[in-house]
Amino acid sequence: MGNVLPAAPLATGAGFAYGRDPGWFERAKGAVMRLSNYFLPTLKETPAGADVVSHQLMLRAGMIEQISSGIYNWLPLGARVLRKIEAIVREEQDRAGCQEVLLSLIQPADLWRESGRYEDYGREMLRIQDRHEREMLFGPTNEEQITDVFRHHVRGYRELPKVLYQIQWKFRDEVRPRFGVMRGREFLMKDAYSFDLDKEGAQRTYNRMFVAYLRTFARMGLTAIPMRAETGPIGGDQSHEFIILADTGESVVYCHRDWLEADFLAEDADAEDPAALVERWTRTYAATEDMHDPARADELGDALIERRGIEVGHIFYFGTKYSAPMNARVNAPDGSKVPVEMGSYGIGVSRLVGAIIEASHDDSGIVWPEPVAPFHVGIVNIKTGDETCDSVAEDLYRRLQEAGVEVLYDDRTEERPGAKFADMDLIGLPWQVVVGPKGVQNGVVELKYRRTGEREEMTPETALARLCRPC
Amino acid sequence: MGNVLPAAPLATGAGFAYGRDPGWFERAKGAVMRLSNYFLPTLKETPAGADVVSHQLMLRAGMIEQISSGIYNWLPLGARVLRKIEAIVREEQDRAGCQEVLLSLIQPADLWRESGRYEDYGREMLRIQDRHEREMLFGPTNEEQITDVFRHHVRGYRELPKVLYQIQWKFRDEVRPRFGVMRGREFLMKDAYSFDLDKEGAQRTYNRMFVAYLRTFARMGLTAIPMRAETGPIGGDQSHEFIILADTGESVVYCHRDWLEADFLAEDADAEDPAALVERWTRTYAATEDMHDPARADELGDALIERRGIEVGHIFYFGTKYSAPMNARVNAPDGSKVPVEMGSYGIGVSRLVGAIIEASHDDSGIVWPEPVAPFHVGIVNIKTGDETCDSVAEDLYRRLQEAGVEVLYDDRTEERPGAKFADMDLIGLPWQVVVGPKGVQNGVVELKYRRTGEREEMTPETALARLCRPC
């Protein structure tokens, strides 16, 4: 400073000016990282006390670290995956016409007394007294809180329907937390709440959310099978769980083998009536153990399969369970005041990180579906310090970055090639480019597709063209 | 289903396939909303109990709602602004080489016993017992926790420097919360923590963060003036607050009047040594009341101004205050083990929403700087139901959406034009397009720039061209 330049106004009156450097956003898009700088504390040994493979792999891949029973810190690699899942969930909620809010983590106990759940919820609810000895709690879910928001502001049927959602931390003081982030105490959840005038409207909203859920999970590379479910402590009339199949799943599920090949992304979901989509996607048999119907299942014969499953989403239509006791009413067209019809819709955002790994790993480590991979390409320089290897690898790194591809470059000097390969397989990036001294003498690098292990030698130019194609 | 289509693999082995519909991301980019559907509970009257203008305006604009003293729910308009600020902060932290983590909200008390702060922190810390009667707390800050992460994983000086950051909720049980979200109990904060081998490295990191902060606030349309500050309860050797000027600020500050015109975005900050930038941007006088130097200030003569200010960021270099007692040591090049040199770097993300309003409003309401505006354009249809008005407004809405511009369309039927104008000014979108029956007969709409109130009649085509130019 000293000679302070005159400030140009942020907007000049003609069009936008998002700051003087439009390149910022571009550069931020394709995040890149050198492994020598990255905080990626991988472990060679499987840590004790991790009971399922996703928990083991998340610890070994340096994604998380436990700080207390069922409570985790998310390290950079884990945080990246969490943010990617969060972004997909947000986009699909927005696309379905939901509006994002953020409800406070700490809630007053009195709200829960109104619904009658304060005592019901038991010791799983983390109860807190503040400095003025007010009874508070760390929210395990938010039906009461959102009903309170609604009743303060919405008066008439013309304002309906509405779906509000948030992506926010929750706390449930599980007596025995386990399965790593899949049944932790503190967890990140997307929870949406819907408000409709009547049952027909509520059913339409339920169907719309059902379709949004199929799409959300499909975009993550998952087949999440909708299964009719018990409504449990949320209460209500109708409920579906969305369950992905994994050998290490927490519960037994039964379904038609067609589900193994189901592909919701092949649907033109925008063009079709949600009710028809729901009808089509609930026609094929699928049931949790609780809801299993042996008679109907017998009809499937050989086509019936029994697997283990992990719940990644759960939707509920519960009518006036909260709106009636909490007096959340709207003026109906006939002039009467009626309690609003509600539903709630959860996705376990942090749980999904573990669930995806359960569904997608091999003996060498994680195999990320591309839409949620922390980086898309890993470059392995197997002889850092060798002039040609460094030059080829650095050039690839720079050019992938310029193309907006997310790259992690293993430029470490102190690790042997075997350790680099093992780490790269462990963290499961979809694509690896291996740069070694023999190859570069012949003008080639090796491109490896992590999921199948396929490898192919090619020139760096060809590798770039393959990796950048649709970027 | 029934006839399940064969699933195409997510990746075919050649290039990426982010799902079958690349348009998803495009469509999600330019969020649009009809006000008839939007959950935007604006208030005509200023609510009682709101003591500063930003608090009043946030309540009136339907951005937040208080749920308990100093605890707020963020409604859709507020959540949008919060997410925009968060995104800018994240991009600039990433750009500065910081790595995102997510530390747990609930921490074990024992960590704070190690640093000696468990008792020191007093009643502002929200203390919790879980179901097993373990002593826990809702983190007011995270120095202990990040030091714990570091000591578990980092061994040698080659792994330094590192800066880890998170954007995460905090809780401080203020005895008297006030100023709305600017001094709430639950708040969203960006906190970063740096690790260096020695004082020289720590100073380099401090300078890099200093520059990142100047850029971060400048991108939001703010001049945040760095002022040397007391280190307070965080402790340490060096500290700067970043303060924006606002008549309603919480404290008195003194500075050279050149600061009013300071424009950090005019710097080529990428090209220059951070130390030189820090030197240049601390040369011009600026001081909080605590650190004010009347002798030096007198030299400024007329150029000295006294204003009120709001702290939006605070950076600390505190050396080994936590690493020494918590035994976070690294192997130095000479073979010795030394406690790591640390700093911490905070930005009040939720506080910024209020602070920006304090710095940018008028009698009619909020005036959002464009980079953090919840939508960029508001369309006001002053005669919804009129065929020509509807047709012109709907066409503008559709075409702005196609161009990726964020639009809020006031298509409400039940509100008078005056109420629509008042609401649009209140929520402070940078641009308004007014579509009225007289204008459309003459083939024109009115474009209004909220900040100056300038209005101009033009054809819808010209308005579109003006609004879409750099999109």
Side-chain angles (χ1 to χ4, degrees), chain B residues 78-108:
Chain B
R80 279 186 73 83
V81 176
L82 197 62
R83 291 293 187 205
K84 293 214 166 183
I85 292 172
E86 185 182 332
I88 292 173
V89 171
R90 176 175 292 115
E91 283 171 15
E92 293 303 324
Q93 290 290 290
D94 289 344
R95 181 189 175 94
C98 310
Q99 299 176 34
E100 187 172 8
V101 298
L102 268 163
L103 303 176
S104 70
L105 297 158
I106 303 296
Q107 306 178 25

Side-chain angles (χ1 to χ4, degrees), chain B residues 196-216:
Chain B
D196 278 277
L197 177 65
D198 51 32
K199 284 190 196 306
E200 291 69 34
Q203 185 64 55
R204 275 194 300 276
T205 300
Y206 187 91
N207 291 344
R208 190 153 47 91
M209 296 301 279
F210 187 105
V211 170
Y213 271 44
L214 286 172
R215 187 199 302 275
T216 300

Side-chain angles (χ1 to χ4, degrees), chain A residues 6-17:
Chain A
L10 254 171
T12 56
F16 297 115

Side-chain angles (χ1 to χ4, degrees), chain B residues 83-213:
Chain B
R83 291 293 187 205
K84 293 214 166 183
I85 292 172
E86 185 182 332
I88 292 173
V89 171
R90 176 175 292 115
E91 283 171 15
E92 293 303 324
Q93 290 290 290
D94 289 344
R95 181 189 175 94
C98 310
Q99 299 176 34
E100 187 172 8
V101 298
L102 268 163
L103 303 176
S104 70
L105 297 158
I106 303 296
Q107 306 178 25
D110 280 344
L111 269 184
W112 289 68
R113 293 210 172 85
E114 286 192 59
S115 71
R117 283 208 295 179
Y118 189 61
E119 303 309 328
D120 290 357
Y121 222 93
R123 299 186 68 189
E124 209 175 274
M125 179 188 280
L126 190 65
R127 292 152 206 263
I128 300 171
Q129 282 208 337
D130 73 4
R131 68 190 296 160
H132 299 296
E133 293 175 12
R134 279 177 286 227
E135 287 179 287
M136 315 288 284
L137 56 98
F138 192 139
T141 180
N142 297 74
E143 282 81 7
E144 285 79 359
Q145 202 173 0
I146 201 78
T147 306
D148 185 55
V149 168
F150 182 89
R151 70 182 171 182
H152 288 158
H153 296 297
V154 179
R155 293 289 164 260
Y157 68 93
R158 280 200 189 82
E159 298 169 66
L160 302 181
K162 286 273 183 295
V163 186
L164 303 176
Y165 79 97
Q166 63 171 350
I167 299 174
Q168 183 61 299
W169 295 90
K170 311 270 182 288
F171 200 96
R172 292 182 193 163
D173 203 355
E174 301 267 355
V175 64
R176 196 165 69 87
R178 57 203 155 128
F179 308 143
V181 300
M182 287 200 295
R183 191 173 289 276
R185 296 198 287 169
E186 189 177 298
F187 56 97
L188 187 62
M189 190 172 172
K190 188 286 297 179
D191 44 326
Y193 304 90
S194 67
F195 304 91
D196 278 277
L197 177 65
D198 51 32
K199 284 190 196 306
E200 291 69 34
Q203 185 64 55
R204 275 194 300 276
T205 300
Y206 187 91
N207 291 344
R208 190 153 47 91
M209 296 301 279
F210 187 105
V211 170
Y213 271 44

